[in-house]
Amino acid sequence: MVDITHKNTTLRTAVAQAIVKVSKPETIEAIQNDTVPKGNVFAMSKAAGLLGVKRTPDILPDCHPLPIEYTGVAYEINGLEITVLFTVKTIYKTGVEVEAMHGASVVALNMYDMLKPIDKGIEIHHIKLLNKKGGKSDFKNRFRTDITAAVIVCSDTISAGHKEDKAGKAIIEKLKICGVQTEAYEIIPDALEVIQNKAKQYQEQGVDLIIYTGGTGLSARDVTPEALAPLLDRRIPGIEEAIRSYGQDRTPYSMLSRSVAGTIKNTLVLALPGSTNGASESMDAIFPSVLHIFGILRGARHD
């Protein structure tokens, strides 16, 4: 199965359809009058669909087991055609498109099974996804595509040439995927004044996003939060909480990180962990959703 451990949990919705076409009006009348020998077609087929959608990962090997938190089945009759509308909702890391299509197909197949004794010409058509919502595709930055960034690695060891930087490069790669241009990349020592000067420098140059990696731990030289806090006009606790919550689901040590997020005028400043995994997972936790801030800072509405 595809690795979804890096994804965020969001509300996911999918609506699928299947069309059951009967061959004579008498079949529709039997359904509506509840005179089909095998029982109430709509009620029993709905029950079959509810059971079937829960078994989707048992039948399709690449489908992830996930909580089905809502299922809705509706029918529309148009002449000799019955349209099955199947809705599935979950709050999870991956979508429910296949589950919705599977549910619609099971409903249609059960209708076929119940109606075949009275109608030999039944056909099933147009099993397809009608729409879906949720996931990163619904939370892309809609306001700006020209966002620039500076990535600053805070590390005495790396700046002295004793170790290679990987965290900063991982951040740059994540930014590239999100369409953000990295205009500057620097490695500096864990020095409070140097950290502050870099924030002031890039903010004055008009860089939209300044990302520090390193210096957010609890050792004596970890001073990045102390350096940045006095410069920030406003802290953004939600970003900080999202980073730690995401990390805590993956390692019990994330609670020890002191990641910082805030703004200096219209520049967003982030201080992320210095480990490669910590930096990469922090980016996964908040990107690309965090880019929404650049529209809000210019007065755009959330909706």
Side-chain angles (χ1 to χ4, degrees), residues 177-206:
I177 293 171
C178 294
V180 177
Q181 176 66 38
T182 301
E183 289 198 346
Y185 165 63
E186 289 196 52
I187 298 172
I188 63 175
D190 290 302
L192 189 145
E193 187 174 341
V194 177
I195 294 170
Q196 289 182 331
N197 288 340
K198 291 300 176 183
K200 294 174 184 177
Q201 171 192 334
Y202 288 117
Q203 188 279 320
E204 290 171 357
Q205 290 177 6

Side-chain angles (χ1 to χ4, degrees), residues 154-157 189-192 195 213-228 256-258 260 272-275:
C154 301
S155 171
D156 292 334
T157 305
D190 290 302
L192 189 145
I195 294 170
T213 174
T216 62
L218 292 168
S219 73
R221 291 289 290 172
D222 288 330
V223 295
T224 304
E226 286 75 16
L228 296 178
L256 303 178
S257 174
R258 299 184 299 131
V260 171
L272 308 182
S275 69

Side-chain angles (χ1 to χ4, degrees), residues 32-298:
Q32 292 175 324
N33 297 330
D34 197 13
T35 58
V36 175
K38 287 192 174 184
N40 188 292
V41 174
F42 285 162
M44 291 187 66
S45 298
K46 177 180 179 179
L50 298 182
L51 293 171
V53 72
K54 299 170 188 175
R55 301 298 299 272
T56 303
D58 294 336
I59 298 169
L60 302 176
D62 278 339
C63 283
H64 295 82
L66 49 77
I68 303 295
E69 297 179 286
Y70 171 79
T71 300
V73 182
Y75 303 97
E76 295 177 357
I77 299 176
N78 183 20
L80 297 181
E81 292 186 345
I82 303 170
T83 300
V84 178
L85 297 173
F86 203 98
T87 303
V88 180
K89 294 183 181 181
T90 188
I91 298 177
Y92 200 60
K93 301 174 185 176
T94 189
V96 286
E97 304 97 284
V98 173
E99 285 76 7
M101 293 176 69
H102 181 223
S105 66
V106 171
V107 172
L109 190 58
N110 191 77
M111 292 176 68
Y112 177 93
D113 181 58
M114 294 185 71
L115 295 172
K116 66 182 181 181
I118 63 172
D119 192 334
K120 302 300 182 184
I122 299 173
E123 300 175 352
I124 297 174
H125 297 277
H126 304 301
I127 299 172
K128 66 179 183 179
L129 180 70
L130 297 181
N131 61 70
K132 68 170 185 173
K133 294 181 180 179
K136 283 188 176 181
S137 59
D138 279 352
F139 298 102
K140 290 181 179 178
N141 175 41
R142 307 188 310 275
F143 302 123
R144 292 183 55 193
T145 57
D146 59 343
I147 298 168
T148 57
V151 176
I152 303 169
V153 180
C154 301
S155 171
D156 292 334
T157 305
I158 296 174
S159 65
H162 301 314
K163 185 179 177 182
E164 179 186 356
D165 167 55
K166 294 182 180 179
K169 292 176 181 177
I171 291 171
I172 292 171
E173 184 60 31
K174 296 283 185 180
L175 289 173
K176 182 179 179 181
I177 293 171
C178 294
V180 177
Q181 176 66 38
T182 301
E183 289 198 346
Y185 165 63
E186 289 196 52
I187 298 172
I188 63 175
D190 290 302
L192 189 145
E193 187 174 341
V194 177
I195 294 170
Q196 289 182 331
N197 288 340
K198 291 300 176 183
K200 294 174 184 177
Q201 171 192 334
Y202 288 117
Q203 188 279 320
E204 290 171 357
Q205 290 177 6
V207 173
D208 299 299
L209 174 61
I210 304 171
I211 302 180
Y212 291 84
T213 174
T216 62
L218 292 168
S219 73
R221 291 289 290 172
D222 288 330
V223 295
T224 304
E226 286 75 16
L228 296 178
L231 304 181
L232 300 177
D233 300 323
R234 290 185 292 181
R235 292 279 288 268
I236 311 175
I239 296 177
E240 300 169 2
E241 292 161 6
I243 290 171
R244 279 186 281 274
S245 176
Y246 186 93
Q248 193 67 22
D249 286 339
R250 289 155 178 80
T251 171
Y253 303 134
S254 286
M255 61 183 175
L256 303 178
S257 174
R258 299 184 299 131
S259 295
V260 171
T263 57
I264 304 175
K265 296 183 180 180
N266 284 346
T267 296
L268 176 63
V269 180
L270 303 174
L272 308 182
S275 69
T276 305
N277 283 342
S280 182
E281 289 175 358
S282 296
M283 294 291 289
D284 286 336
I286 60 175
F287 279 83
S289 306
V290 75
L291 299 178
H292 185 69
I293 194 174
F294 295 107
I296 303 305
L297 288 171
R298 293 190 174 186

